[in-house]
Structure formats: C-alpha cells, structure tokens
C-alpha cells in the first residue's frame, strides 16, 4: 500500500468518525440542551417550555420553607416569581434574598427541581442570575 | 521586606525568561554555541528567582502577613498550617505563580538532563520554554500580582473558602499543574522540531517520557479533584461534566492520544506530523483550560474573581501561542520526510484508530463545553449542556476505543495476523459474554447500559491479561519469573494502565446505573432503609475544630439486624467567612459506598438526611490510581528514562549543529 493510499484511508476513516460524532452531537444538542430562564422570561412565554429548564434569580424573602420534604421556596427577579419544590438537601450557602439557580421540570407553572445550586461564597453571584437581574432592571450590584 | 524581594525576584524572572526566549533562538540560527548555552544558565536563574518569589509568598502565608493583599483576602491566622500553605495556590494570583514555577522547573529539567540532545534542538526547546514563561510572567505582573501591599493593614484575613480547606484539594492544583505544564515540554519540543524541519525517533524518545510524566500527574490531579467533589460537596457525585472539569479532561484526552502516537514515532518512525500536531493541541487545551477557569467566563468554585482584563490577556496569549504554533505547523509540516509504511491491520493501525477515536472524543467534549459560551456570546441565549449530552456523544465514541484497547496490544507491528489475534482472544470474548449474561440476569430491571459497560470492562481486563501472560510465558512452567523481570517496564506499565481503565469503567457503570438514594426528615431514633441497610439516627452532638463549629450527627448502620458500623456526617460553620459546609460521611467497601449527608430540618429537632448507596464507586479511584501507577512504572523504564543516553547510534542521529 502506497503512502498516499494509506494517508487517504486514514483521512477517510477520520472524516467518517467525525461525521458520525457530528451527527451525535447535533442530535444530542437538540435533545439535551437545557435553557435558562429568569422568572419574568417565563411569564413572557406564551406556552410553558417543555423538558428540563434552569431558573435563576433570588430566593424571595419569607418564601423559604426549610427542612421537610419537599423543600419549597420562590425564585424572583423582583418582577415575577416562580414556585420551586425540591426533594433533597439544600446547599449550605442558601439563604433568602440571595442568588440561586434551580433546574428541573416545570409542572403547572411550578418547578419540580432536582438540583439547586447556590452561590459559592459571600462575594459571588451566579453569572446567569446577575444577567437576569440586569435584564429585569432590578440589579443593584456593579454594572 | 521579604515581600518586596519576592516582587523583585518575579520581575527578574520575567527579564531572564525574555532572554531565555530570544538569545538561544538567535544562537541556534547562527550556530553560535555561546549564545545557545545561555539558555541553560537562564533556565537556572529563572527557576531560582521564581522559587524565591514563591518562597516569599509562602512565608507571608505562613506568618499571616496581612499587609499583603493576597494573604489578607485568602488566609486567616486561625487556619491550620496545611491550609495556610495550600492557601498559597488556593487563589488566582498564587496559583498562577505556581504555574510559572512548575514551567520553569520543567525548563531547567530539560536544560540539566538534556546531555544527549543535539545542542541546536535543546537551545530551541529552552527558548520556547522561556517565551512561554515570559508570557505568563507578564500576565502575573500586569494583571495578577500576588505581592500587592495593603494599607491599612487589616487585623485579620478573610480566610480561604472552607470548601477548599481540604487535604484532597490541597494537592489537586499542584498535580493538575504538573500535568498541564508538563505538556509544555512536548509543545516546546514540537515547535523546535518544526523550526528544525525534522523529527526522528530520538525526538520521540525525548517527548514520550515528558508526556508520560505530564499525563500521570494530570490523571492524578483529575482523580483528586473528582474525589474531592465526591466527598466534600455532599452531592454524592464524582463527575458532573461541569465546564471546569471538562477543561481539565480535554488536555487529558489529547495527552492520552499523544502518549500513544509518540510510541509509533519512536518505534516505527511514522505519524510524525500528526504527533507534533497532537502535542500542540494537548498544550493548547491546557492553556484553554487555564483560560476557561481563570477568566471568569464560567461560574464555578474555581472562578476566584471575575476580571475581564485577565481573561483577555490569557485569550491573547492562547491565540498567539497556539495560533503561532499551528501556523508554523501548516508551513513546515508538509516538508517533513514521510514515515515508514504499515498496513491498516497492524499495531500502528490500531494506534491510529486509538488516536482518531480519542481526537473525536476530545472534539465532542470541546463542543459540549464551548457551545453555551458561543451561544451566549452570539445570541444572548443562556443554555447549559449537562451530563445527558456527554452520555449520548462521548460514551458512544469511547465504547469502540475500549474494544480496541483489548485488541491493539496483541497486534504485530507493520502487518498483523488478525485471525491469530482473535484465536488468542477467544477466552476474553467468553469472559465478556459470561459477564454480560450474569449482569443481565442479576440486575434489577433489564437495562442494557451495565451489560455493555461491564462486558467491555471484562473484555479489556481479560485481553490485557492474556497479552501480559503471553509475554511473560505464564503457565509455561519455566522462566516466568525471569521474563517478568526481563520484560520492559513500559510493558508492565501499559498492562497496569489498561487494567486500571477496566476497573474504572466498572466503577463508573456501577455508580451511574445502580445508585440508590433516600431523603428523609428525621429526629433522633428515626430509621431509614436503603439497599438492605437500616440506618438509625442516634443523636446530634456539637463539636468544634480549629477554625469552625460543628454539629455531628451519629448514624448507626445495621444490616440483617446487626450493627455493622457508624456514620458521622457533620455540618460545619466557619465564623470568619460566615459559611456553612456539609461534611459527608462515607462507609467505603470494595463493593460500594454508603454515603450520608445531613442538612437542616423542618424544626430545630429535625434533620434532613440524604443517604446514597453507590455500588462500585471506590473502583473509580482505584482504576485511576492503577493508571497513574502504570504511567510511573512505564516512566521508570530504563529505555525511557528522562535523559537516558541513546544506546544505538543510527543514521537518524546527527551531530550537533548538523542539519
């Protein structure tokens, strides 16, 4: 087998592999990408999004029912709110009035979350939450 | 005073790195020995200066000198000594300092151990290392200086994020950096070879040990990080396909490909351009990992501070380094002499297939990691790409790779007899079939995932053992011990690493498909049942540590009516940062972990208990440990020893200065 043929074989196999992988990637992106919404984005939607969503904002003051299963709280961007219920342990850093991102399925306008992420430390706000608050015009931090 | 000395040492290192990056290049072009030799002394001075700077910063941490901004922001006088020291690299500035220190150390290692290396090649390698060092030192001095003073001096520091105060994490960054930066050596060798326009097996004999060392360290670093996430975050998971995790996984995948293709260059003098490209790509992913993690474009525990200047600088550095190297590659690679020929069915062919699959896998991980960033930049739409994406793209690419890893080592170089190989692998196929059948029958519900996964792992383990026993002549009575000793260490290393992969797959399969979980709201005396275990909440006590208050929940674990152990998950409160952490309790057994985490309950008497039974999880880290050990065993091979003089002087070796 000549060097040229050999190289062509490998390039061909490589291209086939890449094409296969590209196909997998496209299908998977279609099916598995999870969109992020702020509560007022959700309100603006005519139909509730299907499949998994992530919702971020602040935990509304006085809405957090700690402990018990499920745990309930509301996420707000200070314009609209979304009720969340969550079975599991809340992150240690979660507090009312602070940033949170919850993901799960929307059922009748309520988010049944299976994952709740809080900010990592005192100075940190999830980027999506900061952007969502900016969009809602209720951001108070640095521009 | 010491701090100012440290700062000056940093500036000195920058200037020396600039010298190291330019003068030897000129010397190499002019064949001027004196200029080329400068690289060696520069590498030494650069390392000494950086070691001094690093020592100065460490001193500030150890003595809690809060007049230094970096110390005040990340340390506290009450912090245990281990975390005072690990706090040096537990923040952005310090971790970048560690990065350049490791880079300079690798540079000096090349300078000191490169006796057998042609002087021109060595000068160029050292120069590229110097340029990389200058780039990063400029970054530190301009945007991330750890020696900035603070006035007025605060009474005490703001402490390190308690999540990071952990022995596993104390050593995670240094290991990871050894890996990331280790690929810089392969990169420098590649760029030097491109400038030279020539690659020979001697070149590969140099690149391979460096790659092997970097790969082993990176494997250890990733495993440590994953282990930390598993027991410290209290979520019970060990890999989240989080962009930051992927950022370290992509260089690992590319590095694994490089490790295998370098064998072909060394043994068969083929795949040369491809190997050079891989070296550039592997280091490119290391830089990209640094960029993603350090620039704050990702939200993560690693994103210490968001500063757009830093992101921009690293992005430009990335573009110049990798863009420049790739341009050089496009320019010079076609001129390289073609390598020797081989058939598609051969060891070389198998390694090529390995590389194609690994490259494809890297590409899928890269797409999944960067897609949300691009979409956000292009449309402002915020999406996340989570585990389901990677399960349906990365895993399908990996399955044939594991199948191939069983066959490849049995293939002969140049042209292989596939029929003979399959005859030898009949037993492995039988073992895999038996494991598949057993898994199918024994598991609850007939999910195909574990059947495929465990059968592949069994296939890989069995065929790896068949290959090894064949080479050492086990079951053939005489001479086995002598052959085990006589076999090159790299063969043992490969066997161990491939077995490690099989063990890892078992762990990943067990945890992904068979994990069980319960969440209960409990008071003392309450009982939770899970996977045959009965867990009784005994009592809740308070305790304290050096810099935290703790609440310890005692759980009694029973099985078949007998008490078999105790679990003590904790909730800690760190008053300095005002943060709480969850300390999970884990009862680890070879067949699986019982994992308990505790949170606040409905009333002050209640606690929320979250319990997992995670089968085979310890195998994940056992497998990773076997891979690292395999890498180190390979590295100890005499033929591969870094800087080992070449035994045979073939036509490929040329006198220094010859071109």
């Amino acid at each position: 087998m000549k060097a040229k043929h050999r190289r062509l074989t490998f390039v061909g196999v490589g291209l086939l592999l890449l094409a296969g992988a590209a196909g997998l990637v496209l299908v998977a992106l279609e099916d598995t990408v999870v969109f992020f919404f702020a509560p007022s984005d959700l309100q603006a939607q005519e139909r509730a999004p299907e499949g998994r969503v992530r919702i971020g904002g602040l935990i509304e003051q006085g809405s957090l029912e700690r402990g018990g299963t499920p745990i309930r709280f509301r996420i707000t961007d200070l314009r609209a709110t979304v009720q969340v219920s969550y079975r599991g342990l809340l992150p240690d850093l979660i507090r009312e009035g602070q940033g949170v991102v919850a993901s799960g399925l929307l059922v009748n306008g309520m988010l049944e979350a299976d994952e709740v992420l809080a900010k990592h430390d005192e100075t940190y706000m999830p980027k999506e939450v900061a952007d969502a608050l900016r969009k809602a015009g209720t951001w108070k931090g640095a521009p | 005073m010491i701090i100012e000395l440290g700062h000056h040492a940093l500036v000195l290192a920058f200037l020396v790195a600039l010298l190291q990056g330019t003068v030897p290049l000129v010397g190499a072009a002019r064949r001027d020995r004196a200029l080329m030799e400068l690289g060696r002394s520069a590498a030494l001075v650069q390392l000494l200066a950086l070691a001094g700077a690093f020592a100065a910063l460490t001193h500030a941490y150890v003595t809690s000198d809060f007049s230094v901004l970096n110390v005040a922001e990340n340390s506290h006088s009450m912090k245990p000594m281990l975390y005072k020291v690990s706090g040096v690299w537990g923040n952005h500035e310090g971790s970048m300092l560690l990065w350049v220190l490791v880079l300079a150390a690798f540079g000096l290692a090349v300078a000191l151990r490169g006796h057998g290396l042609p002087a021109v090649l060595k000068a160029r390698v050292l120069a590229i290392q110097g340029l990389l060092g200058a780039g990063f030192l400029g970054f530190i001095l301009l945007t991330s200086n750890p020696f900035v003073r603070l006035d007025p001096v605060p009474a005490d520091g703001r402490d390190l994020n308690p999540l990071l105060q952990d022995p596993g994490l104390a050593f995670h960054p240094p290991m990871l950096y050894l890996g990331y930066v280790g690929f810089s050596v392969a990169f420098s060798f590649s760029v030097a070879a491109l400038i030279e326009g020539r690659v020979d097996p001697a070149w590969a004999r140099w690149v391979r040990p460096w790659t092997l060392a970097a790969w082993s360290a990176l494997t250890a670093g990733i495993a440590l990080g994953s282990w930390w996430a598993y027991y410290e975050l209290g979520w019970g998971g060990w890999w989240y396909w989080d962009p930051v995790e992927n950022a370290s996984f992509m260089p690992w995948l590319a590095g694994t490909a490089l490790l295998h293709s370098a064998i072909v260059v060394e043994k068969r003098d083929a795949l040369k351009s491809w190997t050079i490209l891989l070296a550039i790509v592997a280091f490119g992913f290391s830089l990209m990992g640094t960029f993603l993690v350090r620039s704050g474009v990702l939200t993560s525990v690693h994103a210490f501070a968001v500063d757009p200047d830093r992101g921009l600088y690293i992005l430009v550095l990335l573009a110049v380094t990798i863009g420049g190297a790739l341009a050089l590659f496009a320019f010079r690679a076609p001129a390289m002499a073609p390598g020797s020929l081989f058939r598609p069915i051969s060891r070389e062919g198998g390694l090529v297939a390995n590389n194609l699959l690994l490259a494809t896998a890297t590409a899928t991980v890269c797409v999944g990691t960067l897609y949300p960033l691009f979409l956000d930049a292009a449309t402002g739409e915020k999406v996340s790409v989570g585990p389901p994406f990677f399960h349906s793209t990365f895993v399908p690419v990996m399955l044939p790779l594991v199948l191939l890893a069983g066959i490849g080592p049995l293939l002969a170089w140049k042209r292989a007899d596939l029929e003979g190989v399959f005859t030898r692998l009949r037993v492995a196929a039988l073992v895999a079939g038996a494991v598949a059948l057993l898994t199918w029958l024994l598991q609850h519900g007939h999910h195909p995932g574990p059947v495929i996964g465990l059968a592949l792992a069994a296939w890989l383990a069995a065929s790896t053992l068949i290959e090894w026993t064949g080479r050492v002549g086990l079951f053939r009575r005489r001479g086995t011990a002598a052959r085990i000793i006589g076999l090159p260490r790299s063969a043992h290393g490969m066997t161990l690493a491939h077995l490690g992969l099989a063990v890892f797959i078992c762990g990943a399969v067990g945890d992904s498909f068979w994990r069980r979980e319960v969440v209960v709201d409990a008071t003392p005396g309450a009982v939770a049942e899970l996977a045959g275990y009965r867990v009784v909440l005994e009592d809740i006590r308070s305790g304290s540590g050096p810099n935290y208050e703790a609440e310890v929940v005692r759980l009694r674990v029973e099985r078949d009516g007998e008490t078999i152990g105790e679990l003590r998950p904790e909730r800690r409160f760190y008053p300095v940062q005002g943060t709480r952490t969850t300390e999970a309790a884990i009862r680890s057994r070879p067949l699986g972990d019982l994992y308990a985490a505790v949170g606040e309950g409905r009333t002050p008497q209640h606690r929320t208990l979250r319990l997992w039974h995670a089968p085979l999880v310890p195998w994940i880290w056992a497998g990773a440990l076997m891979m690292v050990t395999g890498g180190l065993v390979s590295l100890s091979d005499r033929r591969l020893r870094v800087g080992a003089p070449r035994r045979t002087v073939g036509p490929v070796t040329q006198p220094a200065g010859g071109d």
Side-chain angles (χ1 to χ4, degrees), chain B residues 310-344:
Chain B
R310 288 175 181 168
L312 192 64
Y313 189 109
I314 304 191
L315 198 58
V316 170
L317 195 64
L318 180 69
V320 170
T321 315
I322 301 309
L326 287 179
L328 191 63
F329 178 80
F331 201 59
R332 301 297 295 253
M336 297 254 188
S340 53
L341 295 183
F342 54 88
R343 296 244 167 194

Side-chain angles (χ1 to χ4, degrees), chain B residues 2-24:
Chain B
I2 290 178
I3 284 303
E4 275 66 36
L5 281 178
H7 192 177
H8 287 147
L10 205 56
V11 176
L12 176 68
F14 174 66
L15 296 176
V16 172
L18 277 180
L19 274 183
Q20 185 188 333
T22 46
V23 175

